[in-house]
Amino acid sequence: MDGTDVHIPKTKLIHWPLIVLRIAMLMVGSLIIMMLYMLFIGIEKVLPRLKVTAILANLWGRLGLFVTGLKLEVVGKHMKHGGALVANHSTWLDIFTFHSAAHISFVSKSEVRSWPVIGFMARVTGTLFIERRARLAKAHQQALLERLDKGDQLCFFPEGTSTDGRHILEFKSTLFSVFHTEELIDHVWVQPATATYFSPKGQAEDFYGWYGKMGFSEHILAVMAYSRGGRIRVTLHDPVKASDFVTRKDLAKYCEKVVRAGFAKDLGVDVSEVSR
């Protein structure tokens, strides 16, 4: 994953009309959805059961997949109670994918905040941004605790970074610690989820993976130019209770095992072939 063999297909002049059209659709659509989202945030403070903002976030995710040429398949059912969706992380497209597959808010690295369009919509739709600083760990855990205590459904990526979309890294257990607090351990459910991308015809298997030294603008332009006929499958595995596991590390290892097994099944390979 060090970026040595990274290859992003180059865009050509013939691709630019499609690229401009797709980016324009994403920006205009995002603006409309954002305006509606801000409106209903205020309304839902008075009518909390309305839940229109969740529908709008889902719609934004589907818009993102549409303009990037990805067809979504969801296997399994999203849990209805509050808790956390724990998934593997291949690409910036995961933001669209999981907003499309489930009604969630993200826990994301702070860098996403500055991404064009995506970063702004992430802020608007309630993403909790995490900075990679040890001294902030307790503050982040407290913020997670407050969101989960309100019944929010959060989605986070325990690998800590995106990958080539063909392998899964070891799940870090740090963020799982909030599930083992006295206040939450008997109430929180965790649902493992596997996201598997299938590249368009003629493209490399890791086409959707965003990793190593890849530039964000280069990759998004390549996706806009060449992503026609690509697919994404999200498998929502059975949720488990945090209290069923003795430690946060046990819970992290279980989720990693389930997600990795689902990933290997999607790719039709042995589990050992997707491990890193």
Side-chain angles (χ1 to χ4, degrees):
M1 304 285 176
D2 61 1
T4 303
D5 300 319
V6 164
H7 172 70
I8 302 176
K10 299 293 184 182
T11 55
K12 302 175 182 178
L13 185 61
I14 194 173
H15 296 128
W16 278 98
L18 178 61
I19 291 172
V20 171
L21 176 62
R22 284 180 162 179
I23 291 177
M25 289 174 63
L26 178 60
M27 293 184 70
V28 172
S30 296
L31 178 61
I32 294 171
I33 292 171
M34 180 270 294
M35 293 172 67
L36 291 172
Y37 194 98
M38 297 299 289
L39 171 64
F40 280 99
I41 281 179
I43 294 175
E44 287 180 3
K45 288 181 180 178
V46 181
L47 302 171
R49 293 186 179 183
L50 202 56
K51 304 297 183 184
V52 175
T53 52
I55 296 172
L56 290 170
N58 179 265
L59 181 62
W60 180 67
R62 290 182 179 274
L63 169 67
L65 294 186
F66 174 74
V67 299
T68 52
L70 272 162
K71 183 177 180 180
L72 173 68
E73 175 190 2
V74 179
V75 179
K77 294 183 179 180
H78 186 217
M79 60 182 180
K80 296 185 181 300
H81 32 67
L85 200 69
V86 178
N88 59 301
H89 185 26
S90 301
T91 172
W92 52 271
L93 289 161
D94 289 336
I95 296 173
F96 296 133
T97 295
F98 283 101
H99 270 309
S100 300
H103 295 305
I104 50 87
S105 295
F106 278 104
V107 179
S108 178
K109 59 184 181 181
S110 59
E111 295 94 308
V112 174
R113 207 190 290 260
S114 62
W115 291 1
V117 181
I118 294 174
F120 179 74
M121 288 299 293
R123 293 197 300 272
V124 171
T125 53
T127 297
L128 178 61
F129 294 103
I130 300 293
E131 293 186 41
R132 298 172 183 172
R133 299 181 187 178
R135 64 182 179 81
L136 296 176
K138 288 190 175 181
H140 292 328
Q141 289 176 8
Q142 181 59 36
L144 279 166
L145 180 63
E146 290 173 1
R147 295 286 290 271
L148 290 168
D149 198 40
K150 290 194 303 182
D152 286 1
Q153 294 181 347
L154 300 175
C155 178
F156 70 94
F157 305 118
E159 291 166 291
T161 185
S162 54
T163 68
D164 61 359
R166 310 306 292 177
H167 300 87
I168 292 180
L169 306 178
E170 181 182 355
F171 279 18
K172 295 177 173 61
S173 64
T174 305
L175 289 178
F176 286 88
S177 62
V178 72
F179 309 137
H180 274 257
T181 58
E182 184 178 347
E183 298 90 340
L184 290 178
I185 191 168
D186 292 322
H187 307 287
V188 170
W189 290 79
V190 179
Q191 183 169 31
T194 302
T196 310
Y197 289 83
F198 301 92
S199 300
K201 186 177 180 180
Q203 297 302 322
E205 291 182 340
D206 63 353
F207 174 72
Y208 290 113
W210 184 51
Y211 62 104
K213 298 177 183 178
M214 285 185 175
F216 177 66
S217 58
E218 288 180 278
H219 195 254
I220 194 171
L221 289 176
V223 169
M224 292 293 183
Y226 293 100
S227 180
R228 180 178 296 176
R231 296 183 295 118
I232 167 66
R233 177 182 297 145
V234 173
T235 302
L236 301 172
H237 304 284
D238 292 337
V240 294
K241 289 193 73 173
S243 58
D244 292 337
F245 299 84
V246 177
T247 69
R248 61 182 171 86
K249 291 185 177 180
D250 293 330
L251 178 56
K253 287 180 180 178
Y254 172 81
C255 291
E256 179 186 334
K257 180 180 178 180
V258 172
V259 171
R260 184 170 280 148
F263 194 63
K265 180 180 178 181
D266 286 344
L267 296 180
V269 300
D270 188 82
V271 172
S272 63
E273 295 183 48
V274 301
S275 301
R276 278 284 176 89

